[in-house]
Amino acid sequence: MRILLTNDDGIHAEGLAVLERIARQLSDDVWIVAPETDQSGFAHSLTLSEPLRLRKISDRHYALRGTPTDCVIMGMRQVMGAKPDLVLSGVNVGANLADDVTYSGTVAGAMEGTLQGVRSIALSQAYVKQDGAKVVPWETTEAHAVGVIRKLLEAEVPAGTLLNVNFPACTPDEVTGIEVTAQGKTDFDLSVDERKDGRGFPYYWLYFASRAGRPGEGTDLYAIRENRISVTPLKLDLTDYSVQDQLTKVLG
């Protein structure tokens, strides 16, 4: 099995090293093409207005000055020379739940793999904050991911569907199970922080002023809150079929 790894936290991210150790328990044919720099929040974006710079770090390890989507395309079309059997994207620092999946570069890596016709899985590790610092229990992903992935590879997943896997912010022994979930809903307020540089010109930072999830039972948010591993099947087809008939009546 040929496996292509990517992420959105960058080539030097600890989560990518964790993912490589996981992948090497599944295969000895593992390739990495990951962003040169942090691409968090870039979602499913392509780089079309400037060239892509590819840097070989070591055997089968490449850094790309581009997005996670660019990395998957370059991995398949340029680096590997053929499509892999599996794309793994992650392991992200922090969960990708509910509306976060629409912003996530980690999910986008799996999305692009799916568009290319390859079985694809996004993996993210939730964390907690202690004294303002992130405490990421990587050991939880590392302890459970191989078994989860092996089970998922046995499942019949239709074309156009990717799998979004999130691991709870707890120790490996505190994980209470695995749950197949639906995408939850998060209420958040994105705000703009205006500042001035040394010459007095304005610049801006976007930030989440507030975030509150709706952890309804059966959702990814609920599973993570209950220390379960969440597996959410996501479809590339964004059509809202429930509204089609209604729109047809209005417009007909």
Side-chain angles (χ1 to χ4, degrees):
M1 181 168 60
R2 303 186 84 200
I3 304 177
L4 173 61
L5 309 184
T6 193
N7 72 349
D8 72 354
D9 292 323
I11 189 68
H12 300 296
E14 187 173 356
L16 185 61
V18 170
L19 187 61
E20 183 176 4
R21 292 195 293 270
I22 291 166
R24 292 200 179 280
Q25 296 180 62
L26 300 167
S27 172
D28 59 1
D29 194 357
V30 178
W31 298 71
I32 296 175
V33 182
E36 187 82 62
T37 59
D38 189 346
Q39 300 289 297
S40 298
F42 274 66
H44 193 211
S45 59
L46 283 168
T47 301
L48 300 175
S49 58
E50 58 185 53
L52 299 173
R53 305 289 184 179
L54 184 69
R55 180 169 65 94
K56 185 175 182 179
I57 295 175
S58 60
D59 185 41
R60 301 185 184 183
H61 289 68
Y62 294 83
L64 182 72
R65 190 164 291 278
T67 68
T69 300
D70 298 328
C71 290
V72 172
I73 294 171
M74 286 291 288
M76 293 186 188
R77 302 295 178 89
Q78 183 69 26
V79 175
M80 300 178 73
K83 291 181 179 180
D85 302 298
L86 177 65
V87 172
L88 299 177
S89 184
V91 176
N92 192 67
V93 178
N96 277 304
L97 307 168
D99 301 286
D100 290 343
V101 302
T102 64
Y103 295 109
S104 169
T106 300
V107 173
M111 186 178 292
E112 185 59 35
T114 303
L115 274 173
Q116 297 294 330
V118 178
R119 174 75 68 93
S120 301
I121 304 172
L123 301 100
S124 303
Q125 174 62 61
Y127 64 80
V128 294
K129 281 194 173 183
Q130 293 181 1
D131 300 323
K134 294 178 182 178
V135 179
V136 188
W138 295 117
E139 65 276 11
T140 299
T141 296
E142 200 152 359
H144 292 280
V146 173
V148 171
I149 293 170
R150 282 185 173 142
K151 290 179 180 178
L152 294 177
L153 291 177
E154 295 174 0
E156 292 291 333
V157 177
T161 297
L162 60 127
L163 302 176
N164 183 34
V165 181
N166 284 272
F167 297 87
C170 62
T171 66
D173 293 340
E174 291 173 332
V175 173
T176 58
I178 306 173
E179 183 176 351
V180 179
T181 60
Q183 182 183 339
K185 177 63 181 174
T186 303
D187 298 318
F188 57 85
D189 178 19
L190 264 175
S191 295
V192 179
D193 181 13
E194 180 178 353
R195 304 184 184 185
K196 293 187 184 298
D197 64 18
R199 294 185 296 167
F201 295 111
Y203 67 97
Y204 307 89
W205 285 104
L206 295 180
Y207 69 97
F208 289 101
S210 63
R211 298 181 64 140
R214 303 182 199 172
E217 192 167 354
T219 65
D220 47 11
L221 293 167
Y222 186 87
I224 291 299
R225 192 185 72 175
E226 298 298 312
N227 283 352
R228 298 181 194 136
I229 298 167
S230 170
V231 179
T232 311
L234 301 175
K235 294 184 66 174
L236 297 180
D237 184 355
L238 302 180
T239 307
D240 188 343
Y241 293 99
S242 66
V243 181
Q244 277 188 311
D245 290 342
Q246 178 182 348
L247 291 178
T248 300
K249 292 176 182 177
V250 171
L251 299 174

